[in-house]
Amino acid sequence: TVDLQRSHKNFIEDHKNSRYDVVTSRAVRIDQKMFNLCRNILNEGGWLIIYYSPSQTPIESGLINHVAEYRLGDKKRVVAYYHF
């Protein structure tokens, strides 16, 4: 599991030579740049699982496998599963 709670610069430096089967993200704003960084460290067949806040929309990609919406109390959350 990779901790994405650091800056883009630290993320690149810390993981540039690593490969993972699964990367999860929550409480981190995922923009296209961060999405691509995650993609670069995933093994072929790997999964990127993103827990989006109510204000975010899942990144559009042909790699999206499943999107689930759920409620936690009075708040809506979305989880998107991307398969690489």
Side-chain angles (χ1 to χ4, degrees), residues 43-59:
N43 288 320
E44 184 176 337
W47 289 89
L48 173 59
I49 303 168
I50 301 175
Y51 294 81
Y52 287 99
S53 72
S55 64
Q56 290 182 287
T57 302
I59 298 221

Side-chain angles (χ1 to χ4, degrees):
T1 303
V2 177
D3 179 5
L4 296 182
Q5 295 184 18
R6 303 181 65 190
S7 73
H8 286 50
K9 182 179 178 185
N10 288 339
F11 180 85
I12 294 168
E13 205 48 45
D14 291 350
H15 300 283
K16 66 183 176 186
N17 296 316
S18 301
R19 296 291 175 267
Y20 300 92
D21 293 322
V22 176
V23 174
T24 60
S25 169
R26 74 168 190 78
V28 175
R29 182 157 196 86
I30 299 292
D31 56 14
Q32 192 63 50
K33 182 177 179 178
M34 183 60 86
F35 184 87
N36 290 336
L37 292 172
C38 292
R39 181 181 192 161
N40 290 336
I41 65 168
L42 279 164
N43 288 320
E44 184 176 337
W47 289 89
L48 173 59
I49 303 168
I50 301 175
Y51 294 81
Y52 287 99
S53 72
S55 64
Q56 290 182 287
T57 302
I59 298 221
E60 292 294 324
S61 169
L63 301 166
I64 201 160
N65 184 272
H66 180 73
V67 177
E69 184 178 303
Y70 65 96
R71 295 215 170 265
L72 186 60
D74 61 345
K75 295 182 181 176
K76 179 182 90 166
R77 294 289 186 257
V78 174
V79 182
Y81 300 81
Y82 300 87
H83 191 225
F84 292 83

